[in-house]
Amino acid sequence: MRSDIVTSDVVASLCGRDKGALMMVVGLDSEGYAFLCDGRLRKIEKPKRKKLRHIRLVCHTDCQAAQKLRAGERLSNSEIRRALSDLQKPQPIE
């Protein structure tokens, strides 16, 4: 199993009909699968199960949704959508 991807990371799908989509890792299992959700098509109640080799790490995030997920607190779909949309916004150059 790849050790660079952990729960609460943001990843991009490499293949399948969701190719290129940003998703948050909400769980991992010992068989080499990650459980992903984006809060829109894939809700937290029914995450997508995808092999680790079919996803690419985008970033390790420290947003409020990631902190709640790492702490084991309940997370809503709107919090995941907000976290992913904040990553897609262009950052101002200083």
Side-chain angles (χ1 to χ4, degrees), residues 2 5 11-23 36 50-58:
R2 290 174 37 184
I5 294 178
V11 296
S13 175
L14 295 177
C15 45
R17 65 176 71 177
D18 58 354
K19 182 177 182 177
L22 289 183
M23 297 184 173
L36 312 172
K50 202 164 188 82
K51 288 187 178 184
L52 289 174
R53 66 179 172 199
H54 294 157
I55 57 177
R56 177 181 51 87
L57 178 67
V58 173

Side-chain angles (χ1 to χ4, degrees), residues 37-53:
C37 68
D38 64 359
R40 283 191 192 345
L41 299 174
R42 282 297 176 170
K43 308 272 187 196
I44 191 81
E45 296 84 17
K46 190 176 179 186
K48 171 75 176 161
R49 183 176 180 239
K50 202 164 188 82
K51 288 187 178 184
L52 289 174
R53 66 179 172 199

Side-chain angles (χ1 to χ4, degrees), residues 31-87:
E31 298 174 10
Y33 287 92
F35 295 97
L36 312 172
C37 68
D38 64 359
R40 283 191 192 345
L41 299 174
R42 282 297 176 170
K43 308 272 187 196
I44 191 81
E45 296 84 17
K46 190 176 179 186
K48 171 75 176 161
R49 183 176 180 239
K50 202 164 188 82
K51 288 187 178 184
L52 289 174
R53 66 179 172 199
H54 294 157
I55 57 177
R56 177 181 51 87
L57 178 67
V58 173
C59 69
H60 299 288
T61 183
D62 199 32
C63 63
Q64 182 182 10
Q67 291 172 358
K68 285 180 76 171
L69 192 58
R70 284 189 293 253
E73 296 177 25
R74 190 161 178 80
L75 193 62
S76 70
N77 291 310
S78 62
E79 290 172 319
I80 293 173
R81 285 193 305 268
R82 191 175 313 118
L84 293 175
S85 70
D86 288 345
L87 288 174

